[in-house]
Amino acid sequence: MESLYLLIPLSVVLVFAIGVAFWWSVRNGQFDDLEGPAYRILMDDELPGKRDGAATAKGVEEGAGEK
């Protein structure tokens, strides 16, 4: 019975702390975009033909044909 005097206030404090943490995360935008990060992993950062090395090699070939 004496343990209830400790456990009930401890559980109330724990529920309050979880509520504050949830409120903080909602206010700071943690749940704004749930699907975006999952799709961002699948997206390519750059197009295959737009790389610096490929553009430079193509520019060299085009420059040689102009002479």
PDB file of all heavy atoms in Angstrom, residues 20-38 40:
ATOM      1  N   VAL A  20       4.269  17.015 -22.411  1.00  0.00           N
ATOM      2  CA  VAL A  20       5.092  18.181 -22.753  1.00  0.00           C
ATOM      3  C   VAL A  20       6.007  17.863 -23.931  1.00  0.00           C
ATOM      4  O   VAL A  20       6.168  18.683 -24.845  1.00  0.00           O
ATOM      5  CB  VAL A  20       5.898  18.648 -21.520  1.00  0.00           C
ATOM      6  CG1 VAL A  20       6.967  19.654 -21.899  1.00  0.00           C
ATOM      7  CG2 VAL A  20       4.958  19.239 -20.478  1.00  0.00           C
ATOM      8  N   ALA A  21       6.611  16.686 -23.944  1.00  0.00           N
ATOM      9  CA  ALA A  21       7.487  16.299 -25.052  1.00  0.00           C
ATOM     10  C   ALA A  21       6.702  16.201 -26.362  1.00  0.00           C
ATOM     11  O   ALA A  21       7.173  16.645 -27.416  1.00  0.00           O
ATOM     12  CB  ALA A  21       8.167  14.968 -24.749  1.00  0.00           C
ATOM     13  N   PHE A  22       5.496  15.646 -26.308  1.00  0.00           N
ATOM     14  CA  PHE A  22       4.665  15.562 -27.509  1.00  0.00           C
ATOM     15  C   PHE A  22       4.245  16.946 -27.975  1.00  0.00           C
ATOM     16  O   PHE A  22       4.287  17.257 -29.170  1.00  0.00           O
ATOM     17  CB  PHE A  22       3.434  14.694 -27.239  1.00  0.00           C
ATOM     18  CG  PHE A  22       2.535  14.553 -28.421  1.00  0.00           C
ATOM     19  CD1 PHE A  22       2.908  13.773 -29.492  1.00  0.00           C
ATOM     20  CD2 PHE A  22       1.314  15.211 -28.466  1.00  0.00           C
ATOM     21  CE1 PHE A  22       2.077  13.646 -30.602  1.00  0.00           C
ATOM     22  CE2 PHE A  22       0.493  15.095 -29.561  1.00  0.00           C
ATOM     23  CZ  PHE A  22       0.869  14.307 -30.626  1.00  0.00           C
ATOM     24  N   TRP A  23       3.847  17.820 -27.074  1.00  0.00           N
ATOM     25  CA  TRP A  23       3.452  19.183 -27.416  1.00  0.00           C
ATOM     26  C   TRP A  23       4.620  19.934 -28.055  1.00  0.00           C
ATOM     27  O   TRP A  23       4.455  20.630 -29.047  1.00  0.00           O
ATOM     28  CB  TRP A  23       2.971  19.906 -26.160  1.00  0.00           C
ATOM     29  CG  TRP A  23       2.595  21.328 -26.399  1.00  0.00           C
ATOM     30  CD1 TRP A  23       1.453  21.795 -26.962  1.00  0.00           C
ATOM     31  CD2 TRP A  23       3.395  22.467 -26.096  1.00  0.00           C
ATOM     32  NE1 TRP A  23       1.496  23.162 -27.021  1.00  0.00           N
ATOM     33  CE2 TRP A  23       2.671  23.603 -26.491  1.00  0.00           C
ATOM     34  CE3 TRP A  23       4.647  22.646 -25.518  1.00  0.00           C
ATOM     35  CZ2 TRP A  23       3.168  24.877 -26.341  1.00  0.00           C
ATOM     36  CZ3 TRP A  23       5.135  23.933 -25.359  1.00  0.00           C
ATOM     37  CH2 TRP A  23       4.400  25.028 -25.773  1.00  0.00           C
ATOM     38  N   TRP A  24       5.816  19.774 -27.500  1.00  0.00           N
ATOM     39  CA  TRP A  24       7.005  20.430 -28.057  1.00  0.00           C
ATOM     40  C   TRP A  24       7.283  19.939 -29.473  1.00  0.00           C
ATOM     41  O   TRP A  24       7.593  20.733 -30.361  1.00  0.00           O
ATOM     42  CB  TRP A  24       8.214  20.152 -27.157  1.00  0.00           C
ATOM     43  CG  TRP A  24       9.482  20.701 -27.726  1.00  0.00           C
ATOM     44  CD1 TRP A  24       9.954  21.973 -27.616  1.00  0.00           C
ATOM     45  CD2 TRP A  24      10.433  19.986 -28.518  1.00  0.00           C
ATOM     46  NE1 TRP A  24      11.143  22.094 -28.291  1.00  0.00           N
ATOM     47  CE2 TRP A  24      11.454  20.883 -28.854  1.00  0.00           C
ATOM     48  CE3 TRP A  24      10.511  18.681 -28.971  1.00  0.00           C
ATOM     49  CZ2 TRP A  24      12.542  20.509 -29.632  1.00  0.00           C
ATOM     50  CZ3 TRP A  24      11.597  18.313 -29.743  1.00  0.00           C
ATOM     51  CH2 TRP A  24      12.597  19.225 -30.062  1.00  0.00           C
ATOM     52  N   SER A  25       7.167  18.630 -29.700  1.00  0.00           N
ATOM     53  CA  SER A  25       7.468  18.092 -31.027  1.00  0.00           C
ATOM     54  C   SER A  25       6.439  18.545 -32.064  1.00  0.00           C
ATOM     55  O   SER A  25       6.791  18.795 -33.212  1.00  0.00           O
ATOM     56  CB  SER A  25       7.553  16.569 -30.980  1.00  0.00           C
ATOM     57  OG  SER A  25       6.314  16.015 -30.630  1.00  0.00           O
ATOM     58  N   VAL A  26       5.188  18.676 -31.676  1.00  0.00           N
ATOM     59  CA  VAL A  26       4.175  19.158 -32.613  1.00  0.00           C
ATOM     60  C   VAL A  26       4.410  20.628 -32.924  1.00  0.00           C
ATOM     61  O   VAL A  26       4.318  21.050 -34.082  1.00  0.00           O
ATOM     62  CB  VAL A  26       2.757  18.923 -32.047  1.00  0.00           C
ATOM     63  CG1 VAL A  26       1.704  19.657 -32.859  1.00  0.00           C
ATOM     64  CG2 VAL A  26       2.452  17.433 -32.003  1.00  0.00           C
ATOM     65  N   ARG A  27       4.726  21.422 -31.931  1.00  0.00           N
ATOM     66  CA  ARG A  27       4.950  22.855 -32.141  1.00  0.00           C
ATOM     67  C   ARG A  27       6.198  23.145 -32.967  1.00  0.00           C
ATOM     68  O   ARG A  27       6.248  24.146 -33.672  1.00  0.00           O
ATOM     69  CB  ARG A  27       5.080  23.586 -30.802  1.00  0.00           C
ATOM     70  CG  ARG A  27       3.863  23.525 -29.927  1.00  0.00           C
ATOM     71  CD  ARG A  27       2.903  24.615 -30.164  1.00  0.00           C
ATOM     72  NE  ARG A  27       3.489  25.873 -29.768  1.00  0.00           N
ATOM     73  CZ  ARG A  27       3.018  27.041 -30.135  1.00  0.00           C
ATOM     74  NH1 ARG A  27       1.974  27.099 -30.887  1.00  0.00           N
ATOM     75  NH2 ARG A  27       3.596  28.147 -29.755  1.00  0.00           N
ATOM     76  N   ASN A  28       7.201  22.275 -32.920  1.00  0.00           N
ATOM     77  CA  ASN A  28       8.435  22.489 -33.670  1.00  0.00           C
ATOM     78  C   ASN A  28       8.441  21.813 -35.031  1.00  0.00           C
ATOM     79  O   ASN A  28       9.469  21.761 -35.691  1.00  0.00           O
ATOM     80  CB  ASN A  28       9.642  22.010 -32.859  1.00  0.00           C
ATOM     81  CG  ASN A  28       9.960  22.976 -31.747  1.00  0.00           C
ATOM     82  OD1 ASN A  28       9.830  24.184 -31.908  1.00  0.00           O
ATOM     83  ND2 ASN A  28      10.370  22.453 -30.617  1.00  0.00           N
ATOM     84  N   GLY A  29       7.319  21.277 -35.469  1.00  0.00           N
ATOM     85  CA  GLY A  29       7.205  20.756 -36.820  1.00  0.00           C
ATOM     86  C   GLY A  29       7.781  19.374 -37.038  1.00  0.00           C
ATOM     87  O   GLY A  29       8.130  19.026 -38.164  1.00  0.00           O
ATOM     88  N   GLN A  30       7.881  18.573 -36.005  1.00  0.00           N
ATOM     89  CA  GLN A  30       8.437  17.236 -36.163  1.00  0.00           C
ATOM     90  C   GLN A  30       7.511  16.322 -36.958  1.00  0.00           C
ATOM     91  O   GLN A  30       7.973  15.355 -37.549  1.00  0.00           O
ATOM     92  CB  GLN A  30       8.704  16.610 -34.793  1.00  0.00           C
ATOM     93  CG  GLN A  30       9.728  17.352 -33.980  1.00  0.00           C
ATOM     94  CD  GLN A  30      11.110  17.271 -34.593  1.00  0.00           C
ATOM     95  OE1 GLN A  30      11.513  16.234 -35.078  1.00  0.00           O
ATOM     96  NE2 GLN A  30      11.817  18.374 -34.568  1.00  0.00           N
ATOM     97  N   PHE A  31       6.223  16.613 -37.011  1.00  0.00           N
ATOM     98  CA  PHE A  31       5.265  15.759 -37.701  1.00  0.00           C
ATOM     99  C   PHE A  31       4.699  16.429 -38.947  1.00  0.00           C
ATOM    100  O   PHE A  31       3.666  16.000 -39.459  1.00  0.00           O
ATOM    101  CB  PHE A  31       4.114  15.381 -36.757  1.00  0.00           C
ATOM    102  CG  PHE A  31       4.574  14.638 -35.541  1.00  0.00           C
ATOM    103  CD1 PHE A  31       4.502  15.226 -34.284  1.00  0.00           C
ATOM    104  CD2 PHE A  31       5.072  13.356 -35.636  1.00  0.00           C
ATOM    105  CE1 PHE A  31       4.915  14.543 -33.156  1.00  0.00           C
ATOM    106  CE2 PHE A  31       5.494  12.667 -34.522  1.00  0.00           C
ATOM    107  CZ  PHE A  31       5.419  13.259 -33.275  1.00  0.00           C
ATOM    108  N   ASP A  32       5.345  17.457 -39.470  1.00  0.00           N
ATOM    109  CA  ASP A  32       4.820  18.173 -40.626  1.00  0.00           C
ATOM    110  C   ASP A  32       4.853  17.327 -41.895  1.00  0.00           C
ATOM    111  O   ASP A  32       3.890  17.276 -42.634  1.00  0.00           O
ATOM    112  CB  ASP A  32       5.593  19.461 -40.859  1.00  0.00           C
ATOM    113  CG  ASP A  32       5.199  20.545 -39.875  1.00  0.00           C
ATOM    114  OD1 ASP A  32       4.195  20.366 -39.180  1.00  0.00           O
ATOM    115  OD2 ASP A  32       5.916  21.555 -39.802  1.00  0.00           O
ATOM    116  N   ASP A  33       5.967  16.691 -42.190  1.00  0.00           N
ATOM    117  CA  ASP A  33       6.124  15.926 -43.421  1.00  0.00           C
ATOM    118  C   ASP A  33       6.611  14.530 -43.078  1.00  0.00           C
ATOM    119  O   ASP A  33       7.797  14.319 -42.859  1.00  0.00           O
ATOM    120  CB  ASP A  33       7.110  16.630 -44.345  1.00  0.00           C
ATOM    121  CG  ASP A  33       7.210  15.957 -45.693  1.00  0.00           C
ATOM    122  OD1 ASP A  33       6.313  15.177 -46.038  1.00  0.00           O
ATOM    123  OD2 ASP A  33       8.187  16.232 -46.406  1.00  0.00           O
ATOM    124  N   LEU A  34       5.694  13.583 -43.034  1.00  0.00           N
ATOM    125  CA  LEU A  34       6.054  12.219 -42.661  1.00  0.00           C
ATOM    126  C   LEU A  34       6.525  11.393 -43.848  1.00  0.00           C
ATOM    127  O   LEU A  34       7.271  10.439 -43.679  1.00  0.00           O
ATOM    128  CB  LEU A  34       4.870  11.533 -41.981  1.00  0.00           C
ATOM    129  CG  LEU A  34       4.421  12.157 -40.663  1.00  0.00           C
ATOM    130  CD1 LEU A  34       3.196  11.424 -40.139  1.00  0.00           C
ATOM    131  CD2 LEU A  34       5.532  12.116 -39.642  1.00  0.00           C
ATOM    132  N   GLU A  35       6.092  11.727 -45.065  1.00  0.00           N
ATOM    133  CA  GLU A  35       6.441  10.924 -46.227  1.00  0.00           C
ATOM    134  C   GLU A  35       7.627  11.479 -47.002  1.00  0.00           C
ATOM    135  O   GLU A  35       8.270  10.748 -47.747  1.00  0.00           O
ATOM    136  CB  GLU A  35       5.236  10.811 -47.154  1.00  0.00           C
ATOM    137  CG  GLU A  35       4.091  10.043 -46.539  1.00  0.00           C
ATOM    138  CD  GLU A  35       2.893   9.964 -47.463  1.00  0.00           C
ATOM    139  OE1 GLU A  35       3.008  10.395 -48.626  1.00  0.00           O
ATOM    140  OE2 GLU A  35       1.853   9.466 -47.024  1.00  0.00           O
ATOM    141  N   GLY A  36       7.940  12.737 -46.867  1.00  0.00           N
ATOM    142  CA  GLY A  36       9.017  13.368 -47.634  1.00  0.00           C
ATOM    143  C   GLY A  36      10.374  12.725 -47.448  1.00  0.00           C
ATOM    144  O   GLY A  36      11.056  12.418 -48.436  1.00  0.00           O
ATOM    145  N   PRO A  37      10.832  12.494 -46.215  1.00  0.00           N
ATOM    146  CA  PRO A  37      12.144  11.865 -46.051  1.00  0.00           C
ATOM    147  C   PRO A  37      12.223  10.464 -46.652  1.00  0.00           C
ATOM    148  O   PRO A  37      13.272  10.078 -47.163  1.00  0.00           O
ATOM    149  CB  PRO A  37      12.322  11.811 -44.530  1.00  0.00           C
ATOM    150  CG  PRO A  37      11.486  12.912 -44.012  1.00  0.00           C
ATOM    151  CD  PRO A  37      10.306  12.982 -44.944  1.00  0.00           C
ATOM    152  N   ALA A  38      11.136   9.725 -46.654  1.00  0.00           N
ATOM    153  CA  ALA A  38      11.160   8.382 -47.249  1.00  0.00           C
ATOM    154  C   ALA A  38      11.334   8.469 -48.757  1.00  0.00           C
ATOM    155  O   ALA A  38      12.067   7.669 -49.346  1.00  0.00           O
ATOM    156  CB  ALA A  38       9.871   7.647 -46.905  1.00  0.00           C
ATOM    157  N   ARG A  40      12.693  11.073 -50.353  1.00  0.00           N
ATOM    158  CA  ARG A  40      13.959  11.759 -50.629  1.00  0.00           C
ATOM    159  C   ARG A  40      15.116  10.768 -50.743  1.00  0.00           C
ATOM    160  O   ARG A  40      16.077  11.000 -51.471  1.00  0.00           O
ATOM    161  CB  ARG A  40      14.237  12.781 -49.531  1.00  0.00           C
ATOM    162  CG  ARG A  40      15.184  13.857 -49.958  1.00  0.00           C
ATOM    163  CD  ARG A  40      15.296  14.969 -48.922  1.00  0.00           C
ATOM    164  NE  ARG A  40      13.982  15.464 -48.540  1.00  0.00           N
ATOM    165  CZ  ARG A  40      13.595  15.641 -47.274  1.00  0.00           C
ATOM    166  NH1 ARG A  40      14.399  15.365 -46.282  1.00  0.00           N
ATOM    167  NH2 ARG A  40      12.393  16.107 -47.000  1.00  0.00           N
TER     168      ARG A  40
END
